[in-house]
Amino acid sequence: MPAVTVSPVPARRFSPNPLVAFYQSSIGKKWVVALTGIVLIVYVLGHLAGNLQIYLGQDRINNYAEFLHNLGPLLWLIRLFLLACFVIHIVATIQLTIQNRQAKPQKYAVPGYQASTPASRTMIVSGLIVLCFVIYHLLQFTLELTHPGYRHLHDSLGRHDVYHMMIIAFRHLFISLFYVLGLFLLCTHLSHGFASVTQTLGINNRKIARVISAGGVTLAWLVFLGYVSIPLTILLGLVR
Amino acid sequence: MNFKLKVWRQKGPNVAGQFVDYEARDIPADASFLEMLDIVNEGLIKRNEDQIAFDSDCREGICGMCSLVINGIAHGPGKAKTSCQLYMRRFKDGDTIWVEPFRAITFPVVRDLCTNRSALDRMIEAGGYITARTGSAPEANSIPIGKVVADLAMEAAACIGCGACVAACPNSSAMLFVSAKVSHLGLLPQGQPERTSRVVSMVRKMDELGFGNCTNHYECEAVCPSEISASFISRLNRDYARAATRQAAVLV
Amino acid sequence: MATTLDAKIPTGPLEEKWQKHKNESKLVSPANKRKLDVIVVGSGLAGGSAAATLGELGYNVRCFCYQDSPRRAHSIAAQGGINAAKNYQNDGDSVYRLFYDTIKGGDFRSREGNVYRLAEVSVNIIDQCVAQGVPFAREYGGLLANRSFGGAQVSRTFYARGQTGQQLLLGAYQALSRQIAAGSVKMYPRTEMLELVVVEGQAKGIITRDLLTGKIQAHAGDTVVLASGGYGNAFYLSTNAKGCNVTAAYRAYKRGAFFANPCYTQIHPTCIPVAGSYQSKLTLMSESLRNDGRVWVPKQKGDKRPPDQIPEAERDYYLERKYPSYGNLAPRDIASRAAKEACDTGRGVGPGGLGVYLDFADAIKRFGEKTIRERYGNLFDMYHNITGENAYKAPMRIYPAVHYTMGGLWVDYNLMSNLPGLHVLGEANFSDHGANRLGASALMQGLADGYFVIPYTLGNYLATQMGKKVSVDRPEFKAAEQETRARIERFLSIRGKRTVADFHRELGLLLWEKCGMARDAAGLKEALQRIPELRQEFWEDVNVLGGGEEFNQALEYAGRVADFLEFAELMCLDALERDESCGGHFRVEYQTEDGEALRNDDDFCHVAAWQYAGPDSRPIRNVEPLIFENVKLAQRSYK
Ligand SMILES: Cc1cc2nc3c(=O)[nH]c(=O)nc-3n(C[C@H](O)[C@H](O)[C@H](O)COP(=O)(O)OP(=O)(O)OC[C@H]3O[C@@H](n4cnc5c(N)ncnc54)[C@H](O)[C@@H]3O)c2cc1C
Ligand code: HEM
Ligand code: HEM
Ligand code: SF4
Ligand code: F3S
Ligand code: FES
């Protein structure tokens, strides 16, 4: 059995500036995580809606992509905002996780969890894998560094052929599998995250708690199914 | 009934501890968990071995002194009860039972199963009160309080300060405890003048002491002997943001 | 030499005594308060409220408790409620009526002056607690709710669910916490007082043991306020918390403070019956249950049928039968004894025949299960958890158990003991309940003492103590410290065969049988014979392991039991000397034809205050005559 000694409680400092102090506090940080989480959720949902247009055919989705690209400076503003939220979300959650691990230096010999879920206990893991997923995803589809060939895909109207890009990509078994894995972890992340946001922002209460948590899990699985359908249908040759 | 116990033994705060095996024999099913430990201890003393140190006082679930983690569950299996209210009839004959102290960096082990939970007092001292100078109180019925609010305040006030929420929380967060006090006092009209400063100071103290952050695991609610609802944490989150904006607004 | 004690009750009409006394009490200037050190032992309702208030007033307070937090004092366990003469229900209550009920409830063995003051300040307590945020039960209109309680015909009991003591204590604890944060009170949790230090006839300090490290420390102060609770645990099984002890009070007794009426113990009628010898404590079911529950036993001896098969006609609702006007709400001592009688005649129910039914079937029929659940849900749950039985379906089984001790250190109207400088509050003093305490009045007394009496009366003593500070370097402190150490050494060096608990159990059983609900001279003499033997066996054969300079629960316990072993003798002696029955003290030799307590006002209308006379001498019995100018002594009748 591991020896246990009392390790000193790490000192936490607080700025005199109330805004900074708000972020430094546990609850303040949680608010930041939740608010950035909402932004990311909105993006995930919007992006899903966009991507599902693949089922409406090449024209629709390429058109959609073209529309986005034509937003110009606005697109960059949105991207910067998203990036900022993403980074802040990650920095804050990593800080929270470090503090939380310090607060519980020794776990129980037999775990006796009653209410938490594997999803809630592995947020940092699912989050970091989603991070890897997103990085790969950006390298692949947005920066097109992993597959420079994608850059040359154009449809008959001269638009960037997003439709075929996806089809070519997901015909690779490993790429598809990696997506399924990434999306699954996003799903577990959200299955806790959706309901969690309502609690953090103080809108949860005991009357709606059950509905919210069940709703959150359902929503997370819907997001999973929605996204995962794309690589799967392509892999199975249903969409080509 | 007979049980195999695996009990955490640790001589003092700064020495290593380990699990030690004990046999608990001929335990009546109607005995409480602590009475079972009493019986084991009497056996130990007869063999000239140091008794197992564990905290208890009222033994009826109200003082919050008892603090065991039984099979990984703070206060053991079953809803809404303290360790002292756990009865052996709940276990099966021959069961192996793990007994550990509350674990959190903020609750250093004193000896065996006893921990130092004075960090909870520090948080109350930081603002968990209403300033009411003795002798200057207005007539009690001069401010009516609707039954619904009064009952809700009572529900929050029922916290026995045992710290099981901290023990059970994977992050050792004290949010349930703090939220109970903040809600109890914040719901009442008498608590309004200090509502903003109270929540900010108590949360600040909680952070300074080194409790973890709440990531909404709800283990605390599940083990809480007073059934303090996690929706008080939601209320605390709301109250804290409200207070922080007020303080920021004052600054502008 | 026995002396007659002067309680220093102010002269004048009853209603004006307290105001007059306050007007005439000495004041200490704010600048001087800062220079005065007050030692408060105990953080229950009495000690906690006193420490908070005295700190707020500007005194330098040090407060001690043996638990790990002041919030856990035993007051936390009080369930039922707190009395106050608010007359919110407009049912005819008044300060006088609360005063009268308390005097009568105490079987005319308490002081008029004190009790009137108690009733008077009861009103302020509720105001104070509400201002602190104590969430008392309320009606839909938002006003405070009340319920009725044993021994009263009006509804004057304020309550917070079944957790009144907890909420009141948290109010005091929070006020105390505020002072701790402000630096006016220094709190010493897990610190046990083991000795009182007397310097030139005045209580000037205490010796404590830090329970975590075993460190023995001397604390000097300008006065000592003792609020260390009751000694019901002398009986081993009681409704008190495991740690409740007589040590603080008994040590003070041995240093010269008089111990008054030690034989007055209260047996609470509604506890869960004993289940076996392993049992470590008894659990009280709030007396409020008697508001809706009906107490009965089968009419027939040894009737072993399950309760639902015993027809109405074959049940004896003995409280309703014997006391038609109070019925199930008869005072505790009466209800307890009636239960004992029923069981003694072989009509007890449950294992061992030591139990009576408390039946809610009628109440459930009348109000519905939902209402009963709302009122007593937590108690029913508790009962279920402990016994495994469902009281919504079958009646509860209850039996009396030791609950409260009316005896305690003798104090005068200022709450100061005969030993100058020692003030005693709450259950630790003997003051206001006479020979029997009515339900919901201990909380009232604890808070009255701490919030509203001692802050005024302490000045009377402290104003005389300016510039008389003593230091812990004085030989008195050194000697007391030395004695404390020696005692600890002695415990640890015996290494006998029996456990401390073993002795405690034996003592408890002896007291319960000989000095419990019913006592007689023969039994008491037997006990007085046996206790010294048992004590000797203890000092020869007890096994206390571990060291003195560490966290050692066995050692803590040994110290407490050692004091119980001496104190028990005083209890029995007092019971033997009091040749009458009154309230909680029922001597079988003295009873009316229908078995009611028979007082002897000619010879015993007084307080017996025992004075320590050395290890091998019989203590001296001093008396304080009780003078009744406003109420007529009457045979208590609850019929
Ligand atoms: C189960 C139960 C239910 C009750 N219900 C009611 C009720 O409904 N209404 C009512 O009016 N009364 C009730 N009572 C009685 C009432 O609760 C007590 O009489 C009252 O609370 C005593 O308060 P106190 O402050 O005097 O002592 P306590 O609350 O017992 O406090 C004693 C304090 O002294 C400290 N202490 C003791 N010994 C030492 C030592 N040697 N060194 C240092 N510190 C020490 C302890 O740590 C504690 O802080 C009930 C009692 C019990 C047991
Ligand atoms: C699209 C990407 C992401 C979305 C939509 C998302 C969403 C969310 C949401 C809604 C929460 C709940 C917030 C709350 O409890 O109030 C959350 C929590 C969390 N996220 Fe993310 N997140 C994403 C990416 C990440 C990444 C990359 C990490 C990696 C570090 C991460 C780590 C965490 C952690 C550890 C938590 C738990 C913290 C807490 O509950 O307070 N997340 N996330
Ligand atoms: C099956 C699942 C997914 C598919 C098919 C998909 C497809 C795409 C495509 C085609 C693009 C490039 C658009 C363009 O440049 O025109 C893109 C961009 C992006 N995707 Fe996805 N995506 C999927 C899942 C996800 C998930 C789960 C996330 C986030 C967690 C995500 C985050 C992003 C981001 C951040 C961009 C960059 C947006 C920009 O250019 O600003 N994607 N995705
Ligand atoms: S919130 Fe519940 S678990 Fe936490 S200290 Fe209070 S009673 Fe114990
Ligand atoms: S278990 Fe811990 S994470 Fe929050 S909801 Fe409870 S404090
Ligand atoms: S011992 Fe008091 S709550 Fe368990």
Side-chain angles (χ1 to χ4, degrees):
Chain A
M1 272 299 142
V4 66
T5 53
V6 184
S7 31
V9 181
R12 291 199 205 168
R13 284 182 214 293
F14 292 87
S15 156
N17 180 324
L19 283 179
V20 181
F22 181 76
Y23 178 76
Q24 287 168 327
S25 76
S26 56
I27 298 184
K29 236 186 235 92
K30 280 281 301 184
W31 269 78
V32 170
V33 172
L35 292 174
T36 52
I38 291 183
V39 172
L40 299 178
I41 284 175
V42 168
Y43 178 77
V44 165
L45 294 178
H47 191 50
L48 173 63
N51 286 340
L52 286 179
Q53 294 180 48
I54 193 171
Y55 298 120
L56 301 176
Q58 183 186 20
D59 182 55
R60 282 297 287 273
I61 190 156
N62 287 358
N63 195 26
Y64 168 68
E66 184 78 2
F67 161 76
L68 288 179
H69 283 252
N70 288 343
L71 288 175
L74 188 61
L75 175 67
W76 279 104
L77 270 182
I78 296 175
R79 280 175 166 172
L80 270 179
F81 177 66
L82 269 176
L83 185 68
C85 286
F86 202 59
V87 170
I88 294 172
H89 185 87
I90 294 169
V91 171
T93 50
I94 290 179
Q95 288 177 337
L96 284 172
T97 309
I98 291 173
Q99 289 177 337
N100 292 345
R101 301 245 156 121
Q102 282 171 339
K104 183 85 94 209
Q106 188 170 11
K107 294 219 152 67
Y108 296 108
V110 280
Y113 298 118
Q114 306 276 293
S116 59
T117 57
S120 76
R121 293 192 299 268
T122 52
M123 288 298 270
I124 191 68
V125 178
S126 57
L128 286 173
I129 295 178
V130 169
L131 174 65
C132 298
F133 165 81
V134 171
I135 290 172
Y136 174 77
H137 182 60
L138 289 180
L139 292 176
Q140 183 189 21
F141 283 156
T142 308
L143 303 172
E144 297 172 345
L145 290 174
T146 50
H147 302 80
Y150 292 169
R151 276 182 216 160
H152 311 299
L153 292 169
H154 293 288
D155 65 7
S156 51
L157 295 174
R159 298 175 299 198
H160 183 222
D161 193 353
V162 174
Y163 183 83
H164 271 106
M165 180 171 76
M166 296 208 260
I167 290 181
I168 294 169
F170 294 131
R171 283 212 185 118
H172 288 278
L173 180 65
F174 288 112
I175 292 183
S176 280
L177 281 184
F178 180 64
Y179 266 72
V180 173
L181 177 75
L183 291 167
F184 174 72
L185 284 155
L186 178 68
C187 167
T188 69
H189 198 80
L190 290 181
S191 72
H192 178 66
F194 277 135
S196 193
V197 166
T198 64
Q199 175 81 356
T200 304
L201 301 186
I203 30 195
N204 199 9
N205 66 47
R206 74 190 82 185
K207 287 196 206 93
I208 57 172
R210 270 165 188 284
V211 180
I212 295 244
S213 96
V217 175
T218 317
L219 209 57
W221 281 103
L222 287 179
V223 168
F224 175 70
L225 291 179
Y227 271 119
V228 111
S229 70
I230 297 169
L232 287 189
T233 46
I234 289 172
L235 199 60
L236 297 175
L238 299 176
V239 175
R240 56 180 115 191
Chain B
M1 301 172 93
N2 298 312
F3 304 98
K4 287 192 193 64
L5 303 184
K6 293 190 176 288
V7 182
W8 183 261
R9 300 299 309 255
Q10 182 175 339
K11 275 236 161 212
N14 289 308
V15 292
Q18 79 276 337
F19 284 99
V20 178
D21 292 352
Y22 296 99
E23 301 270 329
R25 289 212 190 83
D26 302 323
I27 305 294
D30 282 336
S32 73
F33 200 86
L34 302 190
E35 284 164 347
M36 181 275 290
L37 288 180
D38 286 343
I39 296 173
V40 170
N41 271 343
E42 287 212 44
L44 287 180
I45 299 171
K46 294 220 162 93
R47 299 203 309 263
N48 281 322
E49 286 177 43
D50 276 343
Q51 66 187 58
I52 302 163
F54 63 92
D55 273 322
S56 81
D57 202 24
C58 73
R59 297 213 175 180
E60 55 182 66
I62 189 74
C63 73
M65 189 92 176
C66 59
S67 42
L68 302 177
V69 173
I70 299 158
N71 287 339
I73 306 170
H75 287 317
K79 265 188 83 70
K81 56 176 67 84
T82 51
S83 312
C84 60
Q85 288 174 301
L86 178 65
Y87 285 80
M88 295 315 291
R89 67 176 87 89
R90 189 171 255 285
F91 295 89
K92 282 200 305 291
D93 197 20
D95 273 359
T96 299
I97 307 173
W98 294 75
V99 196
E100 284 178 81
F102 280 5
R103 296 210 191 272
I105 192 142
T106 40
F107 292 172
V109 170
V110 163
R111 186 180 185 126
D112 299 344
L113 304 171
C114 303
T115 55
N116 182 346
R117 288 166 286 171
S118 49
L120 298 175
D121 292 319
R122 299 293 91 76
M123 291 188 284
I124 299 295
E125 285 156 21
Y129 49 75
I130 291 174
T131 299
R133 183 169 273 277
T134 308
S136 62
E139 153 58 41
N141 253 348
S142 59
I143 309 174
I145 306 173
K147 187 170 176 354
V148 178
V149 171
D151 284 353
L152 194 59
M154 175 65 222
E155 220 173 278
C159 162
I160 62 171
C162 60
C165 44
V166 179
C169 175
N171 312 335
S172 298
S173 166
M175 284 286 273
L176 194 62
F177 174 83
V178 171
S179 74
K181 192 45 64 199
V182 164
S183 302
H184 159 212
L185 300 177
L187 276 161
L188 296 170
Q190 288 84 358
Q192 295 313 307
E194 290 160 304
R195 185 166 159 201
T196 299
S197 60
R198 176 184 308 118
V199 61
V200 172
S201 325
M202 285 187 78
V203 170
R204 166 74 55 93
K205 182 54 81 180
M206 167 176 91
D207 292 348
E208 280 171 357
L209 287 165
F211 287 99
N213 312 283
C214 174
T215 53
N216 307 328
H217 288 304
Y218 306 126
E219 293 291 347
C220 50
E221 182 186 40
V223 301
C224 175
S226 310
E227 296 190 286
I228 304 292
S229 163
S231 65
F232 289 120
I233 297 184
S234 176
R235 178 181 281 277
L236 170 64
N237 289 332
R238 195 160 72 225
D239 246 28
Y240 184 75
R242 173 187 166 277
T245 30
R246 288 197 172 200
Q247 289 198 332
V250 170
L251 204 83
V252 174
Chain C
M1 271 300 293
T3 43
T4 304
L5 292 158
D6 175 12
K8 307 208 181 73
I9 315 265
T11 53
L14 195 56
E15 305 77 36
E16 290 163 24
K17 283 182 198 289
W18 177 228
Q19 189 55 47
K20 176 166 174 273
H21 191 68
K22 281 197 285 187
N23 294 342
E24 290 169 0
S25 287
K26 300 198 183 81
L27 296 176
V28 180
S29 77
N32 281 342
K33 282 193 184 117
R34 246 174 288 130
K35 295 183 204 140
L36 289 166
D37 295 309
V38 178
I39 291 175
V40 179
V41 181
S43 63
L45 284 183
S49 59
T53 307
L54 296 172
E56 193 177 72
L57 283 172
Y59 292 108
N60 246 327
V61 180
R62 266 168 287 169
C63 183
F64 300 81
C65 73
Y66 69 75
Q67 292 93 346
D68 69 342
S69 161
R71 70 179 291 151
R72 307 202 201 286
H74 179 55
S75 297
I76 200 122
Q79 304 168 346
I82 176 165
N83 287 333
K86 280 282 196 189
N87 192 28
Y88 282 160
Q89 307 305 321
N90 195 26
D91 54 0
D93 199 10
S94 66
V95 168
Y96 183 84
R97 215 180 272 274
L98 173 53
F99 153 76
Y100 184 77
D101 284 351
T102 309
I103 288 270
K104 177 184 169 198
D107 218 356
F108 305 95
R109 289 292 175 264
S110 42
R111 269 187 213 143
E112 281 190 342
N114 281 52
V115 176
Y116 196 87
R117 171 176 69 187
L118 176 64
E120 218 177 319
V121 302
S122 70
V123 177
N124 307 357
I125 294 174
I126 303 303
D127 297 343
Q128 179 64 28
C129 294
V130 167
Q132 289 173 338
V134 172
F136 283 123
R138 289 183 181 260
E139 292 159 359
Y140 278 99
L143 299 179
L144 289 156
N146 291 111
R147 62 177 165 214
S148 53
F149 226 71
Q153 283 173 314
V154 292
S155 281
R156 62 159 76 98
T157 303
F158 293 79
Y159 61 100
R161 272 207 221 148
Q163 286 127 279
T164 317
Q166 179 198 32
Q167 291 311 314
L168 295 174
L169 183 63
L170 291 183
Y173 158 72
Q174 285 162 202
L176 179 63
S177 298
R178 183 166 76 91
Q179 296 308 318
I180 295 171
S184 58
V185 178
K186 180 153 170 42
M187 186 70 217
Y188 292 81
R190 288 219 209 244
T191 308
E192 188 165 25
M193 164 188 163
L194 292 179
E195 206 60 78
L196 179 75
V197 182
V198 180
V199 178
E200 289 163 9
Q202 318 246 347
K204 285 292 172 196
I206 59 173
I207 307 292
T208 60
R209 179 169 181 272
D210 179 332
L211 300 181
L212 291 182
T213 61
K215 189 167 168 239
I216 305 291
Q217 205 183 344
H219 299 267
D222 293 284
T223 181
V224 177
V225 176
L226 206 73
S228 51
Y231 50 82
N233 271 354
F235 289 87
Y236 184 69
L237 282 184
S238 84
T239 63
N240 287 10
K242 286 299 282 175
C244 288
N245 63 84
V246 75
T247 294
Y250 192 72
R251 300 274 120 201
Y253 161 76
K254 285 184 97 171
R255 297 277 168 184
F258 295 170
F259 210 111
N261 301 333
C263 78
Y264 288 170
T265 44
Q266 179 164 83
I267 314 279
H268 194 289
T270 51
C271 300
I272 299 178
V274 183
S277 61
Y278 58 86
Q279 201 154 339
S280 60
K281 79 154 283 173
L282 294 173
T283 305
L284 168 88
M285 305 296 292
S286 167
E287 187 163 31
S288 60
L289 288 169
R290 288 203 275 148
N291 282 332
D292 288 310
R294 300 179 68 197
V295 177
W296 64 275
V297 289
K299 281 191 174 155
Q300 223 179 309
K301 240 191 211 177
D303 191 337
K304 288 274 169 281
R305 286 174 293 176
D308 55 342
Q309 286 170 29
I310 303 181
E312 249 343 271
E314 291 174 41
R315 299 176 176 191
D316 179 11
Y317 294 90
Y318 56 87
L319 285 177
E320 295 169 24
R321 171 170 61 79
K322 288 168 129 175
Y323 310 100
S325 69
Y326 280 76
N328 294 300
L329 290 177
R332 293 179 173 173
D333 53 333
I334 291 183
S336 296
R337 225 158 32 237
K340 180 175 165 24
E341 261 163 41
C343 297
D344 285 350
T345 55
R347 298 181 299 146
V349 298
L354 290 178
V356 300
Y357 288 127
L358 180 63
D359 200 335
F360 288 86
D362 286 350
I364 289 173
K365 228 180 274 158
R366 189 147 31 107
F367 305 114
E369 190 173 314
K370 188 164 166 276
T371 309
I372 296 300
R373 199 178 285 278
E374 266 168 25
R375 284 189 195 164
Y376 312 110
N378 59 336
L379 297 171
F380 278 56
D381 291 349
M382 181 165 98
Y383 183 80
H384 178 155
N385 185 39
I386 295 177
T387 62
E389 293 168 23
N390 177 353
Y392 295 104
K393 298 273 169 296
M396 285 182 183
R397 285 178 300 108
I398 55 168
Y399 198 64
V402 175
H403 175 58
Y404 180 87
T405 52
M406 281 77 68
L409 292 176
W410 185 87
V411 288
D412 63 15
Y413 194 71
N414 285 320
L415 300 184
M416 187 159 89
S417 121
N418 61 297
L419 188 64
L422 176 67
H423 295 83
V424 191
L425 318 184
E427 194 173 339
N429 73 23
F430 88 108
S431 74
D432 299 350
H433 308 294
N436 173 51
R437 175 176 69 78
L438 290 185
S441 58
L443 302 181
M444 170 172 73
Q445 181 225 336
L447 289 181
D449 288 0
Y451 283 134
F452 295 112
V453 179
I454 198 69
Y456 289 97
T457 60
L458 199 64
N460 283 325
Y461 175 73
L462 286 177
T464 66
Q465 296 301 306
M466 294 311 304
K468 297 194 186 163
K469 212 168 261 315
V470 302
S471 117
V472 292
D473 298 329
R474 290 192 60 123
E476 291 88 345
F477 281 93
K478 295 287 162 227
E481 228 176 286
Q482 207 39 52
E483 277 174 49
T484 309
R485 285 216 174 82
R487 203 169 134 90
I488 289 173
E489 288 301 310
R490 203 171 148 205
F491 285 128
L492 296 174
S493 63
I494 301 170
R495 290 302 195 104
K497 291 202 181 53
R498 286 176 69 181
T499 62
V500 180
D502 208 18
F503 283 103
H504 195 184
R505 262 194 298 267
E506 186 174 341
L507 175 72
L509 202 62
L510 184 71
L511 281 179
W512 177 244
E513 277 169 5
K514 310 290 181 201
C515 195
M517 248 185 297
R519 303 134 181 213
D520 61 30
L524 287 167
K525 282 183 187 143
E526 269 173 56
L528 282 169
Q529 174 114 39
R530 176 67 191 134
I531 293 166
E533 291 166 11
L534 189 62
R535 195 163 56 227
Q536 191 169 354
E537 285 163 36
F538 175 87
W539 284 107
E540 281 163 6
D541 201 23
V542 75
N543 191 7
V544 185
L545 299 165
E549 264 141 50
E550 56 179 328
F551 184 71
N552 187 342
Q553 292 179 318
L555 181 63
E556 292 167 31
Y557 189 30
R560 292 171 191 159
V561 172
D563 284 328
F564 281 136
L565 279 165
E566 289 186 28
F567 174 72
E569 206 175 331
L570 194 63
M571 264 171 91
C572 294
L573 195 58
D574 187 44
L576 182 64
E577 293 282 306
R578 189 168 278 281
D579 271 319
E580 64 162 352
S581 292
C582 59
H585 169 64
F586 189 78
R587 284 278 300 270
V588 289
E589 301 99 316
Y590 308 103
Q591 48 180 311
T592 63
E593 267 169 25
D594 23 328
E596 301 296 346
L598 187 62
R599 285 201 322 265
N600 175 352
D601 291 332
D602 293 338
D603 299 323
F604 288 97
C605 191
H606 61 232
V607 176
W610 294 88
Q611 178 180 356
Y612 184 65
D616 302 313
S617 316
R618 185 189 158 94
I620 301 163
R621 187 175 191 270
N622 302 301
V623 297
E624 177 206 331
L626 290 170
I627 296 152
F628 291 91
E629 294 169 334
N630 300 277
V631 302
K632 229 172 78 237
L633 269 69
Q635 155 105 42
R636 273 195 319 171
S637 166
Y638 289 93
K639 290 200 185 269

